[in-house]
Coordinates of all heavy atoms in Angstrom, one line a residue:
M1 N 1.7 19.3 -3.6 CA 0.8 18.7 -4.6 C 1.5 18.5 -5.9 O 2.2 19.4 -6.4 CB -0.4 19.7 -4.7 CG -1.5 19.2 -5.6 SD -2.9 20.3 -5.3 CE -3.9 19.8 -6.7
A2 N 1.2 17.4 -6.5 CA 1.8 17.1 -7.8 C 1.3 18.0 -8.9 O 0.1 18.3 -8.9 CB 1.6 15.6 -8.2
D3 N 2.1 18.4 -9.8 CA 1.6 19.2 -10.9 C 0.9 18.3 -11.9 O 0.9 17.1 -11.9 CB 2.7 20.1 -11.6 CG 3.7 19.3 -12.4 OD1 3.4 18.1 -12.8 OD2 4.8 19.8 -12.5
S4 N 0.2 18.9 -12.9 CA -0.7 18.2 -13.8 C 0.1 17.2 -14.7 O -0.4 16.2 -15.1 CB -1.5 19.1 -14.6 OG -0.7 19.9 -15.4
S5 N 1.4 17.6 -15.0 CA 2.2 16.7 -15.9 C 2.5 15.4 -15.1 O 2.6 14.3 -15.7 CB 3.4 17.4 -16.4 OG 4.3 17.8 -15.4
D6 N 2.8 15.6 -13.8 CA 3.1 14.4 -12.9 C 1.9 13.5 -12.8 O 1.9 12.3 -13.0 CB 3.5 14.8 -11.5 CG 5.0 15.3 -11.5 OD1 5.7 15.0 -12.4 OD2 5.3 15.9 -10.5
A7 N 0.7 14.1 -12.6 CA -0.5 13.4 -12.5 C -0.9 12.7 -13.8 O -1.3 11.5 -13.8 CB -1.7 14.3 -12.1
R8 N -0.7 13.3 -14.9 CA -0.9 12.7 -16.2 C 0.0 11.6 -16.5 O -0.4 10.5 -16.9 CB -0.8 13.8 -17.3 CG -1.2 13.3 -18.7 CD -1.3 14.3 -19.8 NE -0.2 15.3 -19.8 CZ -0.3 16.5 -19.3 NH1 -1.4 17.0 -18.8 NH2 0.8 17.3 -19.3
A9 N 1.3 11.8 -16.2 CA 2.3 10.7 -16.4 C 2.0 9.5 -15.5 O 2.0 8.4 -16.0 CB 3.7 11.2 -16.0
L10 N 1.6 9.7 -14.3 CA 1.2 8.6 -13.4 C 0.0 7.9 -13.9 O 0.0 6.7 -13.9 CB 0.9 9.2 -11.9 CG 0.5 8.1 -10.9 CD1 1.5 7.0 -10.8 CD2 0.2 8.8 -9.6
S11 N -1.0 8.6 -14.3 CA -2.2 8.0 -14.9 C -1.9 7.2 -16.1 O -2.4 6.0 -16.2 CB -3.3 9.1 -15.2 OG -4.4 8.5 -15.8
E12 N -1.1 7.7 -17.0 CA -0.7 7.0 -18.2 C 0.1 5.7 -17.8 O -0.1 4.7 -18.4 CB 0.0 7.9 -19.1 CG -0.8 8.9 -19.8 CD 0.0 10.0 -20.6 OE1 1.2 9.9 -20.6 OE2 -0.7 10.9 -21.1
W13 N 1.0 5.9 -16.9 CA 1.8 4.7 -16.4 C 0.9 3.6 -15.8 O 1.1 2.5 -16.2 CB 2.9 5.2 -15.4 CG 3.6 4.1 -14.8 CD1 3.6 3.6 -13.5 CD2 4.6 3.2 -15.5 NE1 4.4 2.6 -13.4 CE2 5.0 2.3 -14.6 CE3 5.1 3.2 -16.8 CZ2 6.0 1.3 -14.9 CZ3 6.0 2.2 -17.1 CH2 6.4 1.3 -16.2
V14 N 0.1 4.0 -14.9 CA -0.8 3.0 -14.3 C -1.7 2.3 -15.3 O -1.8 1.1 -15.3 CB -1.7 3.7 -13.2 CG1 -2.8 2.7 -12.7 CG2 -0.8 4.1 -12.0
T15 N -2.2 3.0 -16.3 CA -3.0 2.4 -17.4 C -2.1 1.4 -18.1 O -2.6 0.3 -18.4 CB -3.5 3.5 -18.3 OG1 -4.4 4.4 -17.6 CG2 -4.3 2.9 -19.5
A16 N -0.9 1.8 -18.5 CA 0.0 0.9 -19.2 C 0.3 -0.4 -18.4 O 0.3 -1.5 -18.9 CB 1.2 1.6 -19.6
V17 N 0.6 -0.2 -17.1 CA 0.9 -1.3 -16.3 C -0.3 -2.3 -16.1 O -0.1 -3.5 -16.2 CB 1.5 -0.9 -14.9 CG1 1.7 -2.0 -13.9 CG2 2.8 -0.1 -15.1
V18 N -1.4 -1.7 -15.8 CA -2.6 -2.5 -15.7 C -2.9 -3.3 -16.9 O -3.2 -4.5 -16.9 CB -3.8 -1.6 -15.3 CG1 -5.2 -2.3 -15.6 CG2 -3.7 -1.1 -13.9
R19 N -2.7 -2.7 -18.1 CA -2.9 -3.4 -19.4 C -1.9 -4.5 -19.5 O -2.2 -5.6 -19.9 CB -2.8 -2.4 -20.5 CG -3.2 -3.0 -21.9 CD -3.2 -1.9 -23.0 NE -4.0 -0.7 -22.6 CZ -3.5 0.5 -22.6 NH1 -2.2 0.8 -23.0 NH2 -4.2 1.6 -22.3
E20 N -0.6 -4.2 -19.2 CA 0.5 -5.1 -19.4 C 0.3 -6.3 -18.5 O 0.6 -7.5 -18.9 CB 1.8 -4.4 -19.1 CG 3.0 -5.3 -19.4 CD 3.3 -5.5 -20.9 OE1 2.8 -4.7 -21.7 OE2 3.9 -6.5 -21.2
L21 N -0.2 -6.1 -17.3 CA -0.4 -7.2 -16.3 C -1.8 -7.9 -16.5 O -2.0 -9.0 -15.9 CB -0.3 -6.7 -14.9 CG 1.0 -6.1 -14.5 CD1 0.9 -5.5 -13.1 CD2 2.1 -7.2 -14.6
G22 N -2.6 -7.4 -17.4 CA -3.9 -8.0 -17.7 C -4.9 -8.0 -16.5 O -5.6 -8.9 -16.3
I23 N -4.8 -6.9 -15.8 CA -5.7 -6.7 -14.6 C -6.8 -5.6 -14.8 O -7.3 -5.1 -13.8 CB -4.9 -6.6 -13.3 CG1 -4.0 -5.4 -13.4 CG2 -4.2 -7.9 -13.0 CD1 -3.3 -5.1 -12.0
E24 N -7.1 -5.3 -16.0 CA -8.1 -4.3 -16.3 C -9.4 -4.7 -15.6 O -9.8 -5.9 -15.6 CB -8.4 -4.1 -17.8 CG -7.2 -3.7 -18.6 CD -6.5 -4.8 -19.3 OE1 -6.5 -6.0 -18.7 OE2 -5.9 -4.6 -20.3
G25 N -10.0 -3.8 -14.9 CA -11.3 -4.0 -14.2 C -11.2 -4.8 -12.9 O -12.2 -4.9 -12.2
A26 N -10.0 -5.2 -12.5 CA -9.8 -5.9 -11.3 C -9.8 -5.0 -10.1 O -10.2 -5.4 -9.0 CB -8.5 -6.7 -11.3
L27 N -9.5 -3.7 -10.3 CA -9.4 -2.8 -9.1 C -9.8 -1.4 -9.6 O -9.7 -1.1 -10.8 CB -7.9 -2.7 -8.6 CG -7.3 -3.9 -8.1 CD1 -5.8 -3.7 -7.9 CD2 -7.9 -4.4 -6.8
D28 N -10.3 -0.6 -8.6 CA -10.6 0.8 -8.9 C -9.2 1.5 -8.9 O -8.6 1.7 -7.9 CB -11.4 1.4 -7.8 CG -11.5 2.9 -7.8 OD1 -11.4 3.5 -8.9 OD2 -11.8 3.5 -6.7
R29 N -8.7 1.8 -10.1 CA -7.4 2.4 -10.3 C -7.1 3.6 -9.5 O -6.1 3.7 -8.9 CB -7.1 2.6 -11.8 CG -6.8 1.4 -12.5 CD -6.2 1.7 -13.9 NE -6.4 3.0 -14.3 CZ -6.7 3.3 -15.6 NH1 -6.9 2.4 -16.4 NH2 -6.9 4.6 -15.9
E30 N -8.0 4.5 -9.5 CA -7.8 5.8 -8.8 C -7.7 5.5 -7.3 O -6.9 6.1 -6.6 CB -8.9 6.8 -9.1 CG -8.9 7.2 -10.5 CD -7.6 7.8 -11.0 OE1 -6.9 8.6 -10.3 OE2 -7.2 7.4 -12.1
G31 N -8.6 4.7 -6.7 CA -8.5 4.3 -5.3 C -7.3 3.6 -5.0 O -6.7 3.8 -3.9
V32 N -6.8 2.8 -5.8 CA -5.5 2.0 -5.6 C -4.4 3.0 -5.6 O -3.5 2.9 -4.7 CB -5.3 0.9 -6.7 CG1 -3.9 0.4 -6.6 CG2 -6.4 -0.2 -6.5
V33 N -4.3 3.9 -6.5 CA -3.2 4.9 -6.5 C -3.2 5.6 -5.2 O -2.1 5.7 -4.6 CB -3.3 5.8 -7.7 CG1 -2.3 7.0 -7.6 CG2 -3.1 5.0 -9.0
D34 N -4.3 6.2 -4.8 CA -4.3 6.9 -3.5 C -3.9 6.0 -2.4 O -3.2 6.5 -1.5 CB -5.7 7.5 -3.3 CG -6.0 8.6 -4.3 OD1 -5.1 9.2 -4.9 OD2 -7.2 9.0 -4.4
M35 N -4.4 4.8 -2.3 CA -4.1 3.9 -1.2 C -2.6 3.6 -1.2 O -2.0 3.7 -0.1 CB -4.9 2.6 -1.4 CG -4.6 1.5 -0.4 SD -5.3 0.0 -0.7 CE -4.6 -0.5 -2.3
V36 N -2.0 3.3 -2.3 CA -0.6 3.0 -2.3 C 0.2 4.2 -2.0 O 1.2 4.1 -1.2 CB -0.2 2.4 -3.7 CG1 1.3 2.2 -3.8 CG2 -0.9 1.0 -3.9
L37 N -0.1 5.4 -2.5 CA 0.6 6.6 -2.2 C 0.5 6.9 -0.7 O 1.5 7.2 0.0 CB 0.1 7.7 -3.0 CG 0.5 7.6 -4.5 CD1 -0.2 8.8 -5.2 CD2 2.0 7.6 -4.7
D38 N -0.6 6.7 -0.1 CA -0.8 6.9 1.4 C 0.0 5.9 2.2 O 0.7 6.3 3.1 CB -2.3 6.9 1.8 CG -3.1 8.0 1.3 OD1 -2.5 9.1 0.9 OD2 -4.3 7.9 1.3
L39 N -0.1 4.7 1.8 CA 0.7 3.6 2.5 C 2.2 3.9 2.4 O 2.9 3.8 3.4 CB 0.4 2.2 1.8 CG 1.2 1.1 2.3 CD1 1.0 0.8 3.8 CD2 0.9 -0.2 1.5
T40 N 2.7 4.1 1.2 CA 4.1 4.3 1.1 C 4.6 5.6 1.8 O 5.7 5.6 2.3 CB 4.6 4.3 -0.4 OG1 3.8 5.3 -1.1 CG2 4.3 2.9 -1.0
S41 N 3.8 6.6 1.8 CA 4.1 7.8 2.6 C 4.2 7.5 4.1 O 5.2 7.9 4.7 CB 3.1 8.9 2.3 OG 3.3 10.0 3.1
D42 N 3.2 6.7 4.6 CA 3.3 6.4 6.0 C 4.5 5.6 6.3 O 5.2 5.8 7.4 CB 2.0 5.6 6.4 CG 0.8 6.4 6.4 OD1 0.8 7.6 6.4 OD2 -0.3 5.8 6.3
V43 N 4.9 4.6 5.5 CA 6.1 3.8 5.8 C 7.3 4.6 5.6 O 8.2 4.5 6.4 CB 6.1 2.6 4.9 CG1 7.4 1.8 5.0 CG2 4.9 1.7 5.2
A44 N 7.4 5.4 4.6 CA 8.6 6.2 4.3 C 8.9 7.2 5.5 O 10.0 7.4 5.9 CB 8.5 7.0 3.0
H45 N 7.8 7.8 6.0 CA 8.0 8.8 7.1 C 8.1 8.1 8.5 O 8.7 8.6 9.4 CB 6.9 9.8 7.0 CG 7.0 10.7 5.8 ND1 6.1 10.5 4.8 CD2 7.8 11.6 5.5 CE1 6.4 11.4 3.8 NE2 7.5 12.1 4.2
G46 N 7.4 7.0 8.6 CA 7.3 6.3 10.0 C 8.4 5.3 10.2 O 8.7 4.9 11.3
V47 N 8.9 4.7 9.1 CA 9.8 3.6 9.3 C 11.1 3.9 8.5 O 12.1 4.2 9.1 CB 9.2 2.2 8.7 CG1 10.1 1.1 8.9 CG2 7.9 2.0 9.4
S48 N 11.1 3.8 7.2 CA 12.2 4.1 6.4 C 11.8 4.3 4.9 O 10.9 3.6 4.5 CB 13.3 3.0 6.4 OG 13.0 1.9 5.6
R49 N 12.5 5.1 4.2 CA 12.2 5.4 2.8 C 12.3 4.1 1.9 O 11.4 3.8 1.2 CB 13.0 6.5 2.2 CG 12.7 7.8 2.7 CD 13.6 8.9 2.2 NE 13.2 9.5 0.9 CZ 12.2 10.4 0.8 NH1 11.6 10.8 1.9 NH2 11.9 10.9 -0.4
P50 N 13.4 3.3 2.1 CA 13.5 2.1 1.3 C 12.4 1.1 1.6 O 12.1 0.2 0.8 CB 14.8 1.5 1.6 CG 15.6 2.7 2.2 CD 14.6 3.6 2.8
G51 N 11.8 1.2 2.8 CA 10.8 0.2 3.2 C 9.5 0.5 2.5 O 8.6 -0.4 2.4
A52 N 9.3 1.6 1.9 CA 8.0 2.0 1.3 C 7.7 1.1 0.1 O 6.6 0.5 0.1 CB 8.0 3.5 1.0
P53 N 8.6 1.0 -0.9 CA 8.2 0.2 -2.1 C 8.2 -1.3 -1.7 O 7.4 -2.1 -2.2 CB 9.3 0.5 -3.1 CG 10.4 1.1 -2.3 CD 9.8 1.7 -1.1
V54 N 9.0 -1.7 -0.8 CA 9.0 -3.1 -0.4 C 7.7 -3.5 0.3 O 7.1 -4.5 0.0 CB 10.2 -3.4 0.6 CG1 10.2 -4.9 1.1 CG2 11.5 -3.2 -0.2
T55 N 7.2 -2.6 1.1 CA 6.0 -2.8 1.8 C 4.8 -2.8 0.8 O 3.9 -3.7 1.0 CB 5.7 -1.7 2.9 OG1 6.8 -1.7 3.8 CG2 4.4 -1.8 3.6
A56 N 4.8 -1.9 -0.1 CA 3.8 -2.0 -1.2 C 3.8 -3.3 -1.9 O 2.7 -3.9 -2.1 CB 3.9 -0.8 -2.1
F57 N 4.9 -3.8 -2.2 CA 5.0 -5.1 -2.9 C 4.5 -6.2 -2.0 O 3.7 -7.1 -2.4 CB 6.5 -5.4 -3.2 CG 6.7 -6.8 -3.7 CD1 6.3 -7.1 -5.0 CD2 7.2 -7.8 -2.9 CE1 6.5 -8.4 -5.5 CE2 7.3 -9.1 -3.4 CZ 7.0 -9.4 -4.7
L58 N 4.8 -6.2 -0.7 CA 4.4 -7.3 0.2 C 2.9 -7.2 0.4 O 2.2 -8.3 0.5 CB 5.1 -7.1 1.6 CG 6.6 -7.4 1.5 CD1 7.2 -7.0 2.9 CD2 6.9 -8.8 1.1
V59 N 2.3 -6.0 0.5 CA 0.9 -5.9 0.6 C 0.2 -6.4 -0.6 O -0.8 -7.1 -0.6 CB 0.5 -4.4 0.9 CG1 -1.0 -4.2 0.7 CG2 0.9 -4.0 2.3
G60 N 0.8 -6.1 -1.8 CA 0.2 -6.6 -3.0 C 0.3 -8.1 -3.1 O -0.7 -8.7 -3.6
V61 N 1.4 -8.7 -2.7 CA 1.4 -10.2 -2.7 C 0.4 -10.8 -1.8 O -0.3 -11.7 -2.1 CB 2.9 -10.7 -2.3 CG1 2.9 -12.2 -2.0 CG2 3.9 -10.3 -3.3
A62 N 0.3 -10.2 -0.6 CA -0.7 -10.7 0.4 C -2.1 -10.6 -0.1 O -3.0 -11.5 -0.1 CB -0.6 -10.0 1.7
A63 N -2.4 -9.4 -0.7 CA -3.8 -9.2 -1.2 C -4.1 -10.1 -2.4 O -5.2 -10.6 -2.6 CB -3.9 -7.7 -1.6
G64 N -3.1 -10.3 -3.2 CA -3.3 -11.2 -4.4 C -3.6 -12.6 -4.0 O -4.2 -13.4 -4.8
R65 N -3.3 -13.0 -2.8 CA -3.6 -14.4 -2.3 C -4.9 -14.5 -1.7 O -5.4 -15.6 -1.4 CB -2.5 -14.8 -1.3 CG -1.1 -14.9 -2.0 CD -0.1 -15.2 -1.0 NE -0.1 -16.6 -0.7 CZ 0.6 -17.3 0.2 NH1 1.4 -16.6 0.9 NH2 0.5 -18.5 0.4
A66 N -5.6 -13.3 -1.5 CA -6.9 -13.3 -0.8 C -8.0 -13.6 -1.8 O -7.9 -13.5 -3.0 CB -7.1 -11.9 -0.2
D67 N -9.2 -14.0 -1.2 CA -10.3 -14.3 -2.1 C -10.8 -13.0 -2.8 O -11.2 -13.1 -4.0 CB -11.5 -14.8 -1.2 CG -11.2 -16.2 -0.7 OD1 -10.4 -17.0 -1.3 OD2 -11.8 -16.6 0.4
D68 N -10.7 -11.9 -2.2 CA -11.1 -10.6 -2.8 C -9.9 -9.7 -2.7 O -9.8 -9.0 -1.7 CB -12.4 -10.0 -2.1 CG -12.9 -8.8 -2.9 OD1 -12.1 -8.2 -3.6 OD2 -14.1 -8.5 -2.7
P69 N -9.0 -9.7 -3.6 CA -7.8 -8.9 -3.6 C -8.1 -7.4 -3.3 O -7.3 -6.7 -2.6 CB -7.1 -9.1 -4.9 CG -7.6 -10.4 -5.3 CD -9.1 -10.5 -4.9
A70 N -9.1 -6.8 -3.9 CA -9.4 -5.4 -3.7 C -9.7 -5.0 -2.3 O -9.2 -4.1 -1.7 CB -10.5 -4.9 -4.7
V71 N -10.5 -5.8 -1.7 CA -10.9 -5.6 -0.3 C -9.7 -5.9 0.6 O -9.4 -5.1 1.5 CB -12.1 -6.5 0.1 CG1 -12.4 -6.5 1.6 CG2 -13.4 -6.1 -0.7
A72 N -9.0 -7.0 0.3 CA -7.8 -7.3 1.2 C -6.8 -6.2 1.1 O -6.2 -5.9 2.1 CB -7.3 -8.6 0.7
A73 N -6.5 -5.7 -0.1 CA -5.5 -4.6 -0.3 C -5.8 -3.4 0.6 O -5.0 -2.9 1.3 CB -5.4 -4.2 -1.7
R74 N -7.1 -3.0 0.6 CA -7.5 -1.9 1.4 C -7.3 -2.2 2.9 O -6.8 -1.4 3.7 CB -8.9 -1.5 1.1 CG -9.1 -0.7 -0.2 CD -10.5 -0.1 -0.3 NE -11.6 -1.1 -0.2 CZ -12.1 -1.8 -1.2 NH1 -11.6 -1.6 -2.4 NH2 -13.1 -2.7 -1.0
D75 N -7.7 -3.4 3.3 CA -7.6 -3.8 4.7 C -6.1 -3.9 5.1 O -5.8 -3.3 6.2 CB -8.3 -5.1 4.9 CG -8.3 -5.5 6.4 OD1 -8.6 -4.7 7.2 OD2 -8.1 -6.7 6.6
Y76 N -5.3 -4.5 4.3 CA -3.9 -4.7 4.6 C -3.2 -3.3 4.7 O -2.4 -3.0 5.5 CB -3.2 -5.6 3.7 CG -3.7 -7.0 3.7 CD1 -3.5 -7.8 2.6 CD2 -4.3 -7.6 4.8 CE1 -3.9 -9.2 2.6 CE2 -4.8 -8.9 4.8 CZ -4.6 -9.7 3.7 OH -5.0 -11.0 3.7
A77 N -3.5 -2.5 3.7 CA -2.9 -1.1 3.7 C -3.2 -0.3 4.9 O -2.4 0.3 5.5 CB -3.3 -0.4 2.4
R78 N -4.5 -0.4 5.4 CA -4.9 0.3 6.6 C -4.1 -0.3 7.8 O -3.6 0.5 8.6 CB -6.4 0.1 6.8 CG -6.9 0.9 7.9 CD -8.5 0.8 8.0 NE -8.9 -0.5 8.3 CZ -9.5 -1.3 7.4 NH1 -9.8 -0.8 6.2 NH2 -9.9 -2.5 7.7
K79 N -4.0 -1.6 7.9 CA -3.3 -2.2 9.0 C -1.8 -1.9 9.0 O -1.3 -1.6 10.1 CB -3.5 -3.7 9.0 CG -4.8 -4.2 9.3 CD -4.9 -5.7 9.2 CE -6.3 -6.2 9.5 NZ -6.4 -7.7 9.5
I80 N -1.2 -1.9 7.9 CA 0.2 -1.6 7.8 C 0.5 -0.2 8.0 O 1.5 0.2 8.6 CB 0.8 -2.2 6.5 CG1 0.6 -3.7 6.3 CG2 2.3 -1.8 6.3 CD1 1.1 -4.5 7.5
S81 N -0.4 0.7 7.6 CA -0.2 2.1 7.8 C -0.3 2.4 9.3 O 0.5 3.2 9.9 CB -1.3 3.0 7.1 OG -1.0 3.1 5.8
A82 N -1.2 1.7 10.0 CA -1.3 1.9 11.5 C 0.0 1.3 12.1 O 0.5 1.9 13.1 CB -2.5 1.1 12.0
L83 N 0.5 0.2 11.7 CA 1.7 -0.3 12.2 C 2.9 0.7 12.0 O 3.7 0.9 12.9 CB 2.1 -1.6 11.5 CG 3.3 -2.4 12.0 CD1 3.2 -2.8 13.5 CD2 3.6 -3.6 11.1
A84 N 3.0 1.3 10.8 CA 4.0 2.2 10.5 C 3.9 3.5 11.4 O 4.9 4.0 11.8 CB 4.0 2.6 9.0
D85 N 2.6 3.9 11.6 CA 2.4 5.1 12.4 C 2.9 4.9 13.8 O 3.4 5.8 14.5 CB 0.9 5.5 12.4 CG 0.5 6.1 11.2 OD1 1.3 6.6 10.4 OD2 -0.8 6.2 10.9
G86 N 2.8 3.7 14.4 CA 3.3 3.4 15.7 C 4.6 2.8 15.8 O 5.1 2.3 16.8
W87 N 5.3 2.8 14.7 CA 6.6 2.1 14.6 C 7.7 2.6 15.6 O 8.5 1.9 16.1 CB 7.2 2.1 13.2 CG 8.3 1.2 13.0 CD1 9.6 1.5 12.8 CD2 8.3 -0.3 13.1 NE1 10.4 0.4 12.7 CE2 9.7 -0.7 12.9 CE3 7.3 -1.2 13.3 CZ2 10.0 -2.0 12.9 CZ3 7.7 -2.5 13.3 CH2 9.0 -2.9 13.1
A88 N 7.6 3.9 15.8 CA 8.6 4.5 16.7 C 8.4 4.1 18.2 O 9.3 4.2 19.0 CB 8.5 6.0 16.6
A89 N 7.2 3.6 18.5 CA 7.0 3.1 19.9 C 7.5 1.7 20.1 O 7.1 0.8 19.4 CB 5.5 3.2 20.2
D90 N 8.5 1.6 20.9 CA 9.2 0.3 21.0 C 8.2 -0.8 21.4 O 8.5 -2.0 21.0 CB 10.3 0.4 22.1 CG 11.5 1.2 21.6 OD1 11.7 1.3 20.4 OD2 12.2 1.7 22.5
A91 N 7.2 -0.5 22.1 CA 6.3 -1.6 22.6 C 5.6 -2.2 21.4 O 5.2 -3.4 21.5 CB 5.3 -1.0 23.6
E92 N 5.4 -1.5 20.3 CA 4.6 -2.1 19.2 C 5.6 -2.6 18.1 O 5.1 -3.2 17.2 CB 3.7 -1.0 18.6 CG 2.5 -0.7 19.5 CD 1.4 0.1 18.8 OE1 1.4 0.0 17.6 OE2 0.7 0.7 19.5
R93 N 6.8 -2.2 18.1 CA 7.7 -2.6 17.0 C 7.7 -4.1 16.8 O 7.9 -4.9 17.7 CB 9.1 -2.1 17.3 CG 10.1 -2.5 16.2 CD 11.3 -1.8 16.3 NE 11.1 -0.4 16.0 CZ 12.0 0.6 16.1 NH1 13.2 0.3 16.5 NH2 11.7 1.8 15.8
G94 N 7.4 -4.5 15.6 CA 7.5 -5.9 15.3 C 6.2 -6.7 15.7 O 6.2 -7.9 15.4
T95 N 5.3 -6.1 16.3 CA 4.0 -6.8 16.7 C 3.0 -6.6 15.5 O 2.7 -5.5 15.1 CB 3.4 -6.1 18.0 OG1 4.4 -6.2 19.0 CG2 2.1 -6.9 18.3
A96 N 2.6 -7.7 15.0 CA 1.7 -7.7 13.9 C 0.4 -7.0 14.3 O -0.1 -7.1 15.4 CB 1.4 -9.1 13.5
A97 N -0.1 -6.2 13.3 CA -1.4 -5.5 13.6 C -2.5 -6.4 13.9 O -3.4 -6.0 14.7 CB -1.7 -4.6 12.4
N98 N -2.5 -7.6 13.5 CA -3.6 -8.5 13.7 C -3.4 -9.4 15.0 O -4.2 -10.2 15.4 CB -3.9 -9.5 12.6 CG -2.7 -10.4 12.2 OD1 -1.6 -10.2 12.8 ND2 -2.9 -11.2 11.3
D99 N -2.3 -9.2 15.7 CA -2.0 -9.9 17.0 C -2.4 -9.0 18.1 O -1.6 -8.4 18.8 CB -0.5 -10.2 17.0 CG -0.2 -11.1 18.3 OD1 -1.1 -11.4 19.0 OD2 1.0 -11.4 18.4
Q100 N -3.7 -8.9 18.4 CA -4.2 -8.0 19.4 C -3.8 -8.4 20.8 O -3.8 -7.6 21.7 CB -5.8 -8.0 19.3 CG -6.3 -7.4 18.0 CD -5.7 -6.0 17.7 OE1 -5.8 -5.1 18.6 NE2 -5.3 -5.7 16.5
S101 N -3.5 -9.7 21.0 CA -3.1 -10.1 22.4 C -1.8 -9.5 22.8 O -1.5 -9.4 24.0 CB -3.0 -11.7 22.4 OG -1.9 -12.1 21.6
R102 N -1.0 -9.1 21.8 CA 0.4 -8.5 22.2 C 0.4 -7.0 22.1 O 1.4 -6.4 22.3 CB 1.4 -9.1 21.2 CG 1.6 -10.6 21.5 CD 2.7 -11.2 20.7 NE 3.9 -10.5 21.1 CZ 5.0 -10.5 20.4 NH1 5.0 -11.0 19.2 NH2 6.1 -9.8 20.8
R103 N -0.8 -6.4 21.8 CA -0.8 -4.9 21.6 C -1.5 -4.3 22.8 O -2.4 -4.9 23.4 CB -1.5 -4.5 20.3 CG -0.8 -5.0 19.1 CD -1.6 -4.7 17.9 NE -1.7 -3.3 17.6 CZ -0.8 -2.6 16.9 NH1 0.2 -3.2 16.4 NH2 -1.0 -1.3 16.7
A104 N -1.1 -3.1 23.2 CA -1.7 -2.4 24.4 C -3.0 -1.9 24.0 O -3.3 -1.6 22.9 CB -0.8 -1.3 24.9

């Protein structure tokens, strides 16, 4: 568990980044932080550590292109976490989570 100084630093950082990017009010910041941390943890442990930040970026790009980025981000994060969880299974490697015809 992160200590209070880490949590405070993260909160201050997220506030500054949100302000700098001009996306105040666009997302539930606390929910986003938890979602991204969970997603990157799943990828780091299930696929590779360097894949975690790259995956977070890709999910953000995809969500940003959606009609409702907040909903899309949650949906994409859930799908990609599931893909990462099953990454060690050769049968699922490289099969998109939304390609149900190729999944067992």
Side-chain angles (χ1 to χ4, degrees):
M1 185 170 167
D3 69 24
S4 64
S5 64
D6 284 344
R8 184 173 44 257
L10 177 58
S11 178
E12 291 171 358
W13 173 250
V14 170
T15 297
V17 171
V18 164
R19 189 176 310 123
E20 187 70 22
L21 296 176
I23 57 173
E24 298 95 333
L27 300 168
D28 168 26
R29 283 194 342 223
E30 296 305 316
V32 168
V33 169
D34 291 342
M35 175 187 61
V36 171
L37 292 176
D38 290 344
L39 171 64
T40 55
S41 175
D42 291 343
V43 173
H45 293 106
V47 181
S48 78
R49 289 176 89 79
V54 174
T55 300
F57 173 79
L58 294 173
V59 167
V61 169
R65 298 176 77 185
D67 290 335
D68 188 338
V71 171
R74 286 190 302 272
D75 185 44
Y76 296 157
R78 186 178 61 250
K79 287 178 181 181
I80 300 306
S81 285
L83 183 64
D85 286 344
W87 191 247
D90 288 340
E92 289 192 23
R93 183 167 289 175
T95 301
N98 62 354
D99 185 359
Q100 295 302 315
S101 66
R102 296 189 57 204
R103 294 175 69 90

